[in-house]
Amino acid sequence: MPTPRPQRPDPRANPIADDGTEVRFCSTCAFSGACIDAGYDKIALRDLHVLVEHVGPFRAGEHVFRSREPFKAIYAVRAGLVKTVAVDPEGNEQVLGFYLPGEVVGLNAIYPEHYPCDAVTLETTHFCRFSFPAISALAARMPGLQQQLFRLLSKELGMTSLLAGDHAAEERVAAFVTDLGERLAAQGFSGTRLRLSMSRLDIANYLRLAAETVSRIFTRLRDQGLIALEGRDLEILDPSGLRALARNVRDR
Amino acid sequence: MPTPRPQRPDPRANPIADDGTEVRFCSTCAFSGACIDAGYDKIALRDLHVLVEHVGPFRAGEHVFRSREPFKAIYAVRAGLVKTVAVDPEGNEQVLGFYLPGEVVGLNAIYPEHYPCDAVTLETTHFCRFSFPAISALAARMPGLQQQLFRLLSKELGMTSLLAGDHAAEERVAAFVTDLGERLAAQGFSGTRLRLSMSRLDIANYLRLAAETVSRIFTRLRDQGLIALEGRDLEILDPSGLRALARNVRDR
DNA sequence: CGAGCTCTTGACACCAATCAATCCGGGTGG
DNA sequence: CCACCCGGATTGATTGGTGTCAAGAGCTCG
């Protein structure tokens, strides 16, 4: 019944092809671990299969959901990259986060009951869509799933430390790169060779810096031999050196 | 069985007296609404009563929990004020948040399974302590409680917008004051007359500003007639004017 | 009443934003 | 195939907001 763990696509390779309309359980979905590991009864697992909806592909620049839309579902990234963006009353955009395969978008919409931000794909992206009423009802019957949801929410709380701290520009950029590498590694990708599919402006906006500052710091890090950077292809040459620069950014 | 809604203490008055060791259900506990409103069976309600533990009073400056301690429980503030503080490897402290009566501390410890910060009381403070394993087990039987926990976590995610944005110092301070007033009002206190029990340094640290900057901006806001401030007693004279200054700080 | 805070106010320095110019890469059309 | 074009990215010069340093005022508590 459980399908074999699919190959992780190389993040630098082309996005995965559309795998048809068949709804299959996919291990990249954020809840797989909770379900497979816990040895649940077939009925519960079947319920989870049924409520999962594979959506996509979205092309780069498309909206998954928009601010103020009623909250219906959370989205687990299967492949690709998403950013969430909040727009203030003056029209200023603020990138709230980037979401990699295996990560979940939309959790901050539970409380307000509408999405407080836009979700925009940055490359061709596939999702697993979970109706929130359905998955929370199921969670009541599957303690492991409930626990997984609690942990996901709590994890995202801790993720804010990069933005929340008052850090020098260099610390921010170093922490950003380090964090990205670690999150990719956690999902089975290379943690040292990665592609920055988001623009420099998106990175700068996310880090609350000017694009010029980000650019300057990237070149400085390259001159110091910590990274190799060609366009949007990044290689981390000295992970511990980068970590040292980012040391003041509290780890989760 | 449900006790009458107790009087909210005036935030400027002395802290409430110790009400004895009797474990009573208290409506200031964050989960009361979920339980009372949902009309649960007596057994479930009894379970909730049993797992609630009234702790305190803590005197100002005492630790409720410390960083790296194993995560056991979450704490709902009954009366008083708490700050959470993260300490980075270099020893720099960062105030993560202030928690008013009715709010819940410790949610960011679920994922790492240890507290990622210290919780320090800023005045005499009483808590309801909820064992997390117990309350999440109970939540599986009480969908309303589960929902309440999801909403609490999601709400706290949205609360980070004050810190996460890149805002001018004046915006930050105005948003801070506005936010405090609204949260107090939401708990039944006055939203315009309040006491800043935390030091200016704590405020500045929380807002990622220098204490001097906070001081300067307070005096500026006073000169503009937006607030009245005498020591730690604050009155918001022009709520909409303050809101206007804070407008760029996205509301939740 | 004095000691030790916290808080306020002022002078100066510095980091990052802004403004401006140039460079680069990818797509388009001739 | 190459010239052109355009958005994104880099690099340089200048400005400004906020941090830092320093001094003084006010408050609390013993």
Side-chain angles (χ1 to χ4, degrees):
Chain A
M1 174 69 49
T3 58
R5 207 174 185 73
Q7 290 296 320
R8 307 280 186 178
D10 178 30
R12 308 164 61 106
N14 288 329
I16 66 168
D18 188 354
D19 58 15
T21 57
E22 184 198 4
V23 174
R24 294 185 305 107
F25 192 80
C26 67
S27 70
T28 53
C29 290
F31 308 107
S32 60
C35 309
I36 290 175
D37 300 347
Y40 277 102
D41 59 278
K42 292 209 176 72
I43 296 170
L45 260 185
R46 183 182 194 80
D47 288 349
L48 187 56
H49 287 207
V50 168
L51 76 83
V52 173
E53 198 182 333
H54 282 202
V55 295
F58 291 79
R59 298 260 155 220
E62 290 191 274
H63 282 253
V64 184
F65 52 75
R66 285 170 194 275
S67 191
R68 288 182 296 280
E69 282 179 7
F71 172 57
K72 294 276 177 51
I74 56 180
Y75 295 79
V77 179
R78 274 204 298 157
L81 182 64
V82 200
K83 67 173 175 181
T84 49
V85 186
V87 184
D88 71 25
E90 307 238 307
N92 305 313
E93 297 194 348
Q94 296 242 305
V95 174
L96 301 180
F98 300 106
Y99 295 84
L100 306 174
E103 300 180 336
V104 176
V105 189
L107 295 170
N108 55 355
I110 297 173
Y111 172 69
E113 294 178 334
H114 60 261
Y115 297 101
C117 56
D118 295 0
V120 182
T121 52
L122 295 172
E123 49 183 73
T124 305
T125 302
H126 295 247
F127 296 93
C128 289
R129 184 184 189 276
F130 298 88
S131 152
F132 188 72
I135 201 171
S136 60
L138 185 58
R141 291 199 288 131
M142 298 173 67
L145 177 58
Q146 188 198 63
Q147 194 64 13
Q148 179 75 349
L149 285 167
F150 286 147
R151 293 178 75 240
L152 272 175
L153 277 154
S154 178
K155 185 179 186 179
E156 191 135 345
L157 270 181
M159 294 265 295
T160 59
S161 33
L162 202 171
L163 288 181
D166 65 332
H167 300 291
E170 195 176 63
E171 282 180 320
R172 284 177 181 258
V173 175
F176 170 72
V177 170
T178 301
D179 180 55
L180 220 52
E182 288 174 358
R183 282 160 61 194
L184 284 168
Q187 301 294 338
F189 298 102
S190 163
T192 51
R193 300 178 64 85
L194 50 105
R195 179 166 177 78
L196 304 174
S197 299
M198 64 292 275
S199 70
R200 294 286 192 278
L201 205 95
D202 279 332
I203 297 174
N205 187 316
Y206 172 66
L207 296 175
R208 279 54 172 159
L209 298 170
E212 294 91 331
T213 304
V214 171
S215 187
R216 271 184 259 267
I217 288 168
F218 271 144
T219 48
R220 197 190 307 169
L221 295 179
R222 187 173 42 196
D223 292 348
Q224 295 172 344
L226 296 172
I227 62 172
L229 184 58
E230 219 181 292
R232 294 186 170 184
D233 289 315
L234 174 73
E235 183 173 3
I236 299 176
L237 299 175
D238 182 354
S240 56
L242 262 192
R243 266 213 150 286
L245 282 183
R247 71 196 176 289
N248 282 341
V249 180
R250 189 175 54 89
D251 4 36
R252 277 154 280 142
Chain B
M1 175 63 53
T3 59
R5 206 174 186 73
Q7 291 296 321
R8 309 278 186 180
D10 177 31
R12 307 164 61 107
N14 288 329
I16 66 169
D18 188 354
D19 57 16
T21 56
E22 184 198 3
V23 173
R24 294 185 304 109
F25 193 79
C26 66
S27 70
T28 53
C29 291
F31 308 107
S32 59
C35 310
I36 290 175
D37 300 347
Y40 277 105
D41 59 278
K42 294 209 176 72
I43 297 171
L45 260 185
R46 183 182 192 81
D47 287 349
L48 187 56
H49 287 208
V50 168
L51 75 82
V52 173
E53 198 182 334
H54 281 203
V55 296
F58 290 81
R59 298 261 155 220
E62 291 191 273
H63 281 252
V64 183
F65 53 75
R66 285 170 193 275
S67 191
R68 288 181 297 280
E69 283 179 7
F71 171 57
K72 293 275 177 52
I74 57 180
Y75 294 79
V77 179
R78 273 204 299 156
L81 181 64
V82 200
K83 67 173 176 181
T84 49
V85 185
V87 185
D88 72 25
E90 307 237 308
N92 306 313
E93 297 194 349
Q94 297 241 307
V95 175
L96 301 181
F98 300 106
Y99 295 85
L100 307 175
E103 300 179 337
V104 176
V105 189
L107 295 170
N108 55 356
I110 297 173
Y111 173 69
E113 293 178 333
H114 60 261
Y115 297 101
C117 55
D118 295 0
V120 181
T121 51
L122 295 172
E123 49 183 74
T124 305
T125 302
H126 297 248
F127 295 94
C128 288
R129 183 182 189 277
F130 298 87
S131 152
F132 188 72
I135 202 171
S136 58
L138 184 57
R141 290 199 289 131
M142 297 173 67
L145 177 58
Q146 189 199 63
Q147 194 63 13
Q148 179 75 350
L149 285 167
F150 285 148
R151 293 179 74 237
L152 273 174
L153 278 153
S154 178
K155 186 179 186 177
E156 191 134 345
L157 269 182
M159 295 264 296
T160 58
S161 32
L162 204 172
L163 289 180
D166 65 333
H167 301 292
E170 195 176 60
E171 282 180 320
R172 284 178 182 256
V173 175
F176 170 72
V177 170
T178 301
D179 181 55
L180 262 189
E182 287 174 357
R183 281 159 62 194
L184 284 168
Q187 302 295 337
F189 297 102
S190 164
T192 52
R193 299 178 63 86
L194 48 105
R195 180 166 177 80
L196 304 173
S197 300
M198 65 291 275
S199 70
R200 296 286 193 276
L201 206 96
D202 279 333
I203 297 174
N205 187 315
Y206 172 66
L207 296 175
R208 278 56 172 159
L209 299 170
E212 294 90 331
T213 304
V214 171
S215 187
R216 272 184 260 265
I217 288 168
F218 271 144
T219 48
R220 198 190 306 170
L221 295 180
R222 187 174 43 196
D223 293 347
Q224 296 172 343
L226 296 171
I227 62 172
L229 183 58
E230 218 182 292
R232 294 185 171 184
D233 288 316
L234 174 72
E235 182 173 2
I236 300 176
L237 299 175
D238 183 354
S240 57
L242 262 191
R243 267 212 150 287
L245 281 183
R247 71 195 175 289
N248 283 340
V249 179
R250 189 174 56 87
D251 3 37
R252 276 154 280 143

